[in-house]
Amino acid sequence: MEKDIVKMLNDKVRKFRKWAEKNYPDKTEDNDNGQWCFCSEFDEMYSAAVDVIEKCPASEADESVTDDLLYAIARDNECECIIQIAEKHNEWFSLLCRKCLDSPYTNAKWQFAKELGKYDGDDDLKQLIYRFLSTGDEYTERMALQSLADIDPKQAEKYAVRSWERNIYKHDEYQKIMALHVLYRIKSPLLEKYIREADISDYHYLRENAAQIREMLAEDNVDIPSQ
């Protein structure tokens, strides 16, 4: 591995961490929406991360390198550019996807969960989707359910029902919305049942999404009468 490129990444990550701790000490993985990263320190860290992915072999990466890259990906959670570059390098995507599950970087986890369905490598990486479905983070699990519709539609139906029924998150309305859209995408026979349940829900956005799916079904010449 190119030592100068790796050292540059480590230096830029440390520099950005220092800037973030000084200027936004209250930012955590739970309240980071990425919109606060508007500094040259971020731009330099971004460039260094891309250099490592594009110029260095993943097979030579150690724990320090993968941690730095996952941190950079987590901070790039508004534009999601670094992970899109990693997608073009299967060895890096596979390595970082596996590593992120045991990392503290929630904002990297949901990005990998979201993109895993597009992975075209020849290893067993897509099976990790089930670990993403049980991270304990609402948004990560929601993105994982979306990807599962591409990876295994039959299992997606099962997990969509689970997401609808369990009501374990504060924002479980969004879990139900994703469940509806997944059931629609996989053409599940259960969709009608859950659209009807959405129709009488107290959740405003859930009802709106159910109405939207009704319109899409009408365009598909499928009619689900209103309650």
Side-chain angles (χ1 to χ4, degrees), residues 50 55 96 126 136 158 167:
V50 171
K55 299 176 181 178
L96 294 171
K126 286 186 175 180
K158 170 185 171 182
N167 299 318

Side-chain angles (χ1 to χ4, degrees), residues 164 176-177 180-181 191 194-201 203-217 224:
W164 183 285
K176 295 177 190 294
I177 289 170
L180 275 187
H181 282 279
L191 178 60
Y194 288 101
I195 285 182
R196 291 182 181 278
E197 288 192 22
D199 286 340
I200 59 174
S201 169
Y203 290 134
H204 171 74
Y205 295 114
L206 180 59
R207 295 196 306 272
E208 279 193 348
N209 276 264
Q212 178 187 25
I213 291 174
R214 278 182 185 280
E215 292 177 1
M216 294 190 291
L217 287 168
I224 297 179

Side-chain angles (χ1 to χ4, degrees), residues 2-17:
E2 297 289 340
K3 292 183 179 179
D4 290 344
I5 296 176
V6 169
K7 183 178 184 304
M8 179 67 72
L9 173 62
N10 187 253
D11 289 345
K12 297 305 181 182
V13 167
R14 285 190 291 107
K15 184 178 179 181
F16 177 80
R17 282 182 183 270

Side-chain angles (χ1 to χ4, degrees), residues 11 52 54 73 105 115 177 184:
D11 289 345
V52 169
E54 292 186 335
I73 289 170
Y105 304 126
E115 302 300 328
I177 289 170
Y184 171 75

